[in-house]
Structures are given as C-alpha cells and as structure tokens.
C-alpha cells in the first residue's frame, strides 16, 4: 500500500541568475522550516552554467530533471537578440511542459481586492516555436522580418482539456478562452474551436465563454472579478499573465507552474531582476508561492496551505514587506518572519 506521505521526494533545484540565488536561499529556509518532503539535486543552468562550461543548459541538469520529473527553478537570464536561445523555452520543449499555470490571488490589498483567478497558458506552440527570421533584400540582410506561429489541433485539445480538468479539480466554475480569431483566424481560430469541443464534454460542470484578447485586457482592468480560469494561447498568455500579476501587487507575488505529462517545473513569473541583484532586497514571495504550487503538485496541499497562510500573515498582520511592496525588509528578514509565523 502506498504511504500517505512519502518521506522524501527527489527534486531538481536550479538557483538561477541575478536575484535567483538570494530568493532561492530564502525559499529553501522556509521549506525546511515547513518540513517540506523534498531532497534536492542541485543543478546549474543559465549564465552560471555558461560561465562554467559554456552551455546554458548542461546535460547533467537535463538528466536530473528527467530522473526527478520535478524542479524548482530560479529565474534565468536570456540575452536579448543574439546569444543563446531562451533556456526557459528549451526546458518547456524538452520536457513537453505544455501547460503554464499562473494563479493570481490578492495577497496585499491594493488597487483591487479579492482577486482570485488562474491563467492557463499553452506553453509550447503559437508564436514561440522559433520560426522567426529575416529575409535579405538587396544589401540589407535584415530587410524583412518574418515570424510564423504554429498551433496543432492536438495541442489545442490537450491544453483545453488540462484547463477544464484543472477547473474541475480546483472547484472553478468557468473557463474563458482568450483568442484573436477575428484576425488570426487559423492560428487562434483552431484554439477556440478545440476549446469549444472540449468544453462540450464538461457542460453542466464547467461553463465556457470566450474573449478577444484586446477586449479581455481591458475587461481585466475594469472588472477582473468576472473571470475565473483564463485559457490562452502562448503569446497572449505571456502578456495577460504579467497583467494579472500587476492586478494583485506585481511580479514579486506571482508564481507559475510549467506542467507536462512527465515533468513539472515551478518558478516565479518574474525574471532575474539584474537591477536589484546582489543587494539582498528582492521579494522572495513569488518563488515561495511557486514552491507552494509544487507542494500541491506532489499532494501536500496541507503544507501549501500553511505556507500561504504564513506568507499572508507576514505581509498583512506583521506588515513585513520588501521594497517592491513599499516595505523595508530585506529578503532574509522576510524569510525569517515567515519562518516565525510557521512556528
Ligand atoms: P524582471 O522580471 O527580471 O524585472 C522587471 C522589474 O521587476 C525589475 O525592475 C525588477 O527589479 C523587478 N522585480 C522582478 N522580480 C522582483 C522581485 N522578486 N522582487 C523585487 N522586484 C522584482 O524582467 P526583465 O528585467 O525584463 O528581465 C531580466 C532577465 O530575466 C532577462 O534576461 C529575461 O530574459 C529574464 N527572464 C527570465 C524569466 C524566467 O526565468 N522565467 C522570466 C522573465 C524574464
Ligand atoms: Mg513573460
């Protein structure tokens, strides 16, 4: 008989670039205090790995994730323009992490209160499949820029099914499909069509409606409470997930999960924040909440709930906040306060 709680679960740990090591350190201290069940395989990726052996995604890191099927990852710097391809995109492709899940809940009451929505983003297709190139004309090697997107019906069905299953499992009432089927008729039309097919199987359990992406962006600001689960194509999901992070207090509070059939990688939505790296002032909440999603993923809802409660109390009852939330706490002070709340 399987035991209710496996005592140790091997998981890959990538500290990441920029503020990555600082917020990861804070998160690991909190997970320790919580008694989280993970045993970490520490691996490198990103600039740290480039500096060491010229490869931003070393084979040993890939092997570890292949073994554990589970990773907690700090942000990785991607050089703009030239340089190497995004490690984040490569990880998604390698492990077919086709679902990107980004919950946004109000933690710090600000402009909007009581927001509780989840964005599910198709993570491997659309405009991110890298058919992005220039065509030379005359003596201009970059006279024309071309980008093509690809969505397959199978991929669209897969992500739609994921969103509806997620809704059922998490007691959500509605899935809103976000598209631009009036203009990108094929690329996002197929997405809407596949979602409608899948939605029919959930009739009576989960509602479905749809929005054109630009209208959706406006309505998210005017009345975000009308939404529950947002199901988006890759590019639209990228944009709207930063927007919903903004609705609930900014990138410092927004976690994300990249989920496939064989592996799942948990991370903060934000990047490596080079402007504040090394100063010890970064907000570790997004990564801590990502660790919370990871606990839920391995069936430790109990620990995830305790973690979120401790973070909530630290922010609101103790009023201990980092500078991005107009507080004075350092990353370490914040971590210690959360640990005190975990008691
Ligand atoms: P960014 O998210 O790193 O920073 C945007 C702004 O938010 C900056 O002012 C930063 O200081 C602030 N910020 C972000 N996280 C914060 C935190 N935890 N606490 C306090 N303030 C925080 O986005 P940016 O500057 O566009 O990207 C920097 C690098 O990160 C780039 O190389 C980019 O490619 C990479 N990146 C990596 C991601 C990942 O690994 N998943 C996601 C997004 C960007
Ligand atoms: Mg993004």
């Amino acid at each position: 008989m399987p035991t209710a709680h496996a005592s140790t679960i091997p998981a890959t740990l990538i500290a990441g670039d920029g503020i990555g090591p600082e917020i990861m350190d804070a998160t690991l201290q909190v997970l320790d205090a919580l008694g989280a069940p993970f045993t970490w395989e520490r691996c490198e990726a990103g600039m740290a790995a480039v500096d060491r052996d010229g490869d931003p995604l070393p084979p040993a890191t890939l092997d570890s994730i292949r073994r554990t099927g589970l990773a907690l990852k700090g942000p990785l710097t991607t050089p703009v323009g030239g340089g190497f391809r995004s490690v984040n995109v490569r990880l998604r492709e390698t492990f077919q992490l086709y679902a990107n899940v980004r919950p946004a809940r109000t933690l710090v009451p600000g402009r909007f209160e009581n927001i509780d929505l989840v964005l599910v983003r198709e993570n491997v297709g659309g405009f991110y499949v890298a058919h992005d190139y220039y065509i030379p004309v005359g003596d201009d090697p970059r006279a024309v820029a071309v980008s093509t997107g690809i969505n397959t019906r199978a991929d669209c069905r897969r992500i739609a099914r994921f969103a509806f299953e997620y809704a059922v499992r998490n007691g959500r009432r509605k899935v809103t499909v976000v598209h631009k089927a009036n203009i990108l008729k094929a690329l996002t039309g197929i997405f809407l069509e596949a979602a409608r097919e899948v939605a029919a199987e959930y009739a009576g359990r989960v509602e479905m409606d749809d929005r054109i992406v630009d209208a959706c962006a406006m309505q998210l600001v005017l009345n975000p409470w009308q939404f529950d689960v947002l199901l988006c194509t890759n590019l639209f999901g990228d944009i709207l997930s930063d927007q919903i992070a903004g609705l609930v207090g900014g990138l410092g509070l927004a976690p994300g999960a990249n989920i496939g059939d064989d592996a799942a990688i948990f991370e903060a939505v934000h990047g490596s924040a080079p402007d504040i790296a090394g100063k010890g002032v970064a907000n570790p909440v997004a990564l801590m909440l990502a660790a919370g999603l990871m606990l839920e993923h391995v069936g430790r809802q109990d620990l995830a709930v305790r973690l979120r409660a401790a973070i909530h109390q630290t922010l609101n009852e103790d009023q201990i906040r980092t500078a991005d939330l107009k507080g004075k706490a350092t990353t370490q002070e914040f971590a210690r306060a959360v640990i005190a709340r975990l008691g």
Side-chain angles (χ1 to χ4, degrees):
M1 251 184 51
T3 49
H5 294 151
S7 54
T8 64
I9 301 170
T12 304
L13 187 89
I14 299 168
D17 298 317
I19 59 171
E22 304 161 42
I23 57 176
M24 188 61 85
D25 194 39
T27 300
L28 291 178
Q29 290 167 28
V30 165
L31 287 177
D32 258 357
L34 190 63
F38 306 114
T39 45
W40 302 106
E41 294 188 6
R42 284 176 179 268
C43 293
E44 275 181 354
M47 299 312 284
V50 171
D51 293 344
R52 224 173 66 166
D53 43 29
D55 183 353
L57 190 53
T61 302
L62 289 169
D63 286 344
S64 173
I65 300 172
R66 220 165 263 131
R67 245 187 337 264
T68 62
L70 197 62
L72 183 63
K73 183 181 96 42
L76 301 174
T77 298
T78 306
V80 175
F84 51 81
R85 272 190 77 208
S86 161
V87 174
N88 296 313
V89 174
R90 279 177 63 195
L91 282 170
R92 285 171 208 156
E93 285 174 1
T94 306
F95 296 104
Q96 279 297 299
L97 307 173
Y98 59 85
N100 186 231
V101 182
R102 295 183 175 182
R105 285 196 188 96
T106 307
L107 262 179
V108 176
R111 225 165 294 167
F112 297 95
E113 302 199 6
N114 301 318
I115 288 184
D116 179 10
L117 43 92
V118 180
L119 188 143
V120 175
R121 165 183 170 193
E122 200 289 315
N123 216 17
V124 293
F127 281 119
Y128 286 64
V129 278
H131 297 283
D132 188 49
Y133 56 93
Y134 295 101
I135 299 174
V137 176
D139 56 4
D140 184 353
R142 297 182 163 195
V144 180
V146 181
S147 191
T148 58
I150 295 179
N151 279 328
T152 68
R153 190 183 302 285
D155 284 357
C156 293
R157 281 190 181 139
R158 180 171 67 171
I159 192 68
R161 190 165 306 284
F162 180 95
F164 279 90
E165 280 300 316
Y166 180 95
V168 168
R169 271 201 325 278
N170 292 279
R172 301 260 168 190
R173 63 181 203 288
K174 185 173 77 178
V175 173
T176 301
V177 183
V178 182
H179 60 87
K180 186 83 185 173
N182 52 331
I183 303 292
L184 298 168
K185 288 183 201 290
L187 188 69
T188 74
I190 197 175
F191 190 80
L192 178 59
E193 200 177 285
R196 284 200 174 120
E197 283 167 26
V198 171
E201 297 170 34
Y202 293 84
R205 289 188 289 162
V206 182
E207 285 172 52
M208 186 208 123
D209 63 6
D210 71 278
R211 292 286 189 288
I212 294 175
V213 61
D214 36 359
C216 186
M218 180 192 67
Q219 287 176 17
L220 271 168
V221 174
L222 291 180
N223 176 14
W225 302 279
Q226 68 184 294
F227 298 112
D228 192 357
V229 176
L230 293 165
L231 169 60
C232 302
T233 57
N234 205 343
L235 178 62
F236 299 161
D238 190 4
I239 297 166
L240 293 188
S241 60
D242 276 24
Q243 188 185 347
I244 63 174
L247 297 177
V248 298
L251 285 173
L253 301 175
N258 298 285
I259 299 178
D261 291 333
D262 304 317
I265 300 181
F266 299 83
E267 64 183 343
V269 168
H270 63 71
S272 53
D275 51 334
I276 57 167
K279 296 185 179 153
V281 297
N283 189 348
V285 168
L287 190 62
M288 288 178 183
L289 292 174
L293 297 177
M294 185 165 163
L295 286 164
E296 284 178 351
H297 182 77
V298 301
R300 295 302 304 267
Q301 182 80 31
D302 56 328
L303 294 181
V305 167
R306 274 185 64 206
L307 175 59
R308 277 199 293 269
I311 291 170
H312 193 277
Q313 290 162 342
T314 303
L315 289 168
N316 295 302
E317 285 164 41
D318 306 334
Q319 292 281 321
I320 294 179
R321 300 178 183 181
T322 45
D324 55 313
L325 300 175
K326 313 226 178 321
K328 290 194 168 67
T330 64
T331 310
Q332 276 302 317
E333 283 163 357
F334 186 86
R336 280 198 292 276
V338 174
I339 290 166
R341 277 291 179 177
L342 286 170

